[in-house]
């Protein structure tokens, strides 16, 4: 059986003094590690211990995702944290879209050194979402939400269909995370695309209103759509996030 490396989890043990700093990265809903691998490798090249898991229900079929509760998505991030917390002195958590919600939830529950999120999801734009608990019994799937990328030729390897039952789970995750935002006190860096056809601006508004952190920075992305980690502004994300990680862990790596 051939392994599709674009869908595989990624891990690096780190090197040098930065190996004492762990970084978790999470991909988004219906997506795959392909959307985050460039970012993960950039941080690994700087010596950080990096974990980019493949979330449960992803990288296989949309039908499997439809059967996967949101708690199983979170378990992948939590397991990465448990390992890095044992092997390193501090952990920073990062995520794209739904992965941003997972990162924020982890930061609410565990002592992380910092949080980096790219177009984090906390609300759903489609007005049908409020009825998704019923719709999932009437409609199995809707068109893909993948590859909202301005840069040509990029592919995040998302599912060709979006399972409605999984959207119901997504809404539950968003509610749970929103309730926990006041518990997020670690420094938080947010990258937000000016044009995002997947996650609405209301997600950022909820984050700003409810987060407990007194250290919140928002960087606007002028030339990227939703999957900004693969778009024209990816280098900005890579470089600014690396500087942020260095800053919030300065007392540890010094």
């Amino acid at each position: 059986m051939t392994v599709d490396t674009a869908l595989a989890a990624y891990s690096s043990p780190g090197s040098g003094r930065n190996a004492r700093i762990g970084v978790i990265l999470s991909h988004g809903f219906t997506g795959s590690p392909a959307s985050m691998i460039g970012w993960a490798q950039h941080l690994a090249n700087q010596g950080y211990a990096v974990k980019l898991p493949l979330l449960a229900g992803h990288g296989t079929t949309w039908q499997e995702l439809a059967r996967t509760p949101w708690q199983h998505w979170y378990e992948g991030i939590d397991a990465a944290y448990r390992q890095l917390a044992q092997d390193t002195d501090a952990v920073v958590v990062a995520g794209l879209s739904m992965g941003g919600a997972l990162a924020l939830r982890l930061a609410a529950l565990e002592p992380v050194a910092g949080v980096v999120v790219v177009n984090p999801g906390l609300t759903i734009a489609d007005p049908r979402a409020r009825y998704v608990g019923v719709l999932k019994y009437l409609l199995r799937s809707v068109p893909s939400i993948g590859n909202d990328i301005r840069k040509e030729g990029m592919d995040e390897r998302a599912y060709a269909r979006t399972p409605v039952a999984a959207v119901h789970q997504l809404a539950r995750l968003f509610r749970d995370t929103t309730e926990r935002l006041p518990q997020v006190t670690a420094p938080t860096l947010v990258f937000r695309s000016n044009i995002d056809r997947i996650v609405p601006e209301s997600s950022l508004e909820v984050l700003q209103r409810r987060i407990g952190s007194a250290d919140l920075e928002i960087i606007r992305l002028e030339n990227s759509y939703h999957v900004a980690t693969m778009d024209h502004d990816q280098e900005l994300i890579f470089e600014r996030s690396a500087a942020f990680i260095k800053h919030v862990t300065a007392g540890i790596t010094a």
Side-chain angles (χ1 to χ4, degrees):
M1 177 177 168
T2 302
V3 177
D4 190 336
T5 56
L7 303 179
Y10 174 84
S11 180
S12 174
S15 60
R17 71 178 186 180
N18 281 348
R20 301 305 304 168
I21 306 300
V23 184
I24 305 165
L25 298 105
S26 176
H27 64 78
F29 181 63
T30 78
S32 74
S35 64
M36 305 289 279
I37 188 64
W39 191 5
Q41 291 176 338
H42 178 84
L43 295 174
N45 288 340
Q46 297 193 23
Y48 295 109
V50 176
K51 285 195 174 297
L52 167 56
L54 173 64
L55 302 180
H58 293 77
T60 54
T61 65
W62 67 261
Q63 291 89 343
E64 180 176 343
L65 180 59
R67 299 188 293 267
T68 307
W70 71 262
Q71 291 88 346
H72 290 190
W73 309 336
Y74 181 75
E75 285 173 2
I77 302 304
D78 183 67
Y81 173 81
R82 300 293 163 195
Q83 185 169 351
L84 284 176
Q86 286 185 339
D87 299 339
T88 65
D89 296 323
V91 177
V92 174
V93 61
L96 165 68
S97 192
M98 175 193 78
L102 294 173
L104 289 163
R105 187 176 193 273
L106 181 71
L109 296 172
E110 304 294 346
V112 301
V115 186
V116 185
V117 288
V118 180
N119 293 322
L122 292 169
T123 62
I124 300 175
D126 194 325
R128 295 174 296 177
R130 68 183 65 183
Y131 309 112
V132 72
V134 174
L135 284 174
K136 67 181 181 180
Y137 297 110
L138 306 174
L139 185 65
R140 292 191 66 199
S141 68
V142 294
S144 172
I145 60 170
N147 286 337
D148 186 33
I149 306 172
R150 188 170 192 168
K151 188 176 183 180
E152 294 183 1
M154 306 305 292
D155 183 2
E156 67 167 321
R157 303 300 298 274
Y159 287 142
R161 302 289 296 178
T162 302
V164 176
V167 175
H168 189 208
Q169 292 298 314
L170 183 68
R172 288 178 168 179
L173 167 64
F174 286 175
R175 284 195 297 270
D176 181 273
T177 302
T178 296
E179 290 174 0
R180 297 179 187 275
L181 282 177
Q183 299 168 242
V184 179
T185 57
T188 301
L189 176 62
V190 181
F191 294 94
R192 176 62 183 163
S193 297
N194 286 339
I195 300 176
D196 184 336
R197 295 172 290 192
I198 305 300
V199 168
E201 192 69 12
S202 56
S203 286
L204 179 60
E205 294 166 358
V206 167
L207 176 61
Q208 290 177 290
R209 186 169 63 249
R210 292 191 56 82
I211 195 167
S213 177
D215 186 354
L216 174 66
E217 180 181 4
I218 298 169
I219 297 176
R220 286 284 178 173
L221 304 177
E222 305 286 344
N223 199 25
S224 297
Y225 295 158
H226 180 64
V227 190
T229 52
M230 300 184 78
D231 219 323
H232 293 292
D233 293 306
Q234 66 173 4
E235 294 301 326
L236 172 64
I237 294 171
F238 297 174
E239 293 171 6
R240 292 295 295 269
S241 64
F244 173 83
I245 294 168
K246 182 179 180 180
H247 173 70
V248 299
T249 61
I252 298 165
T253 59

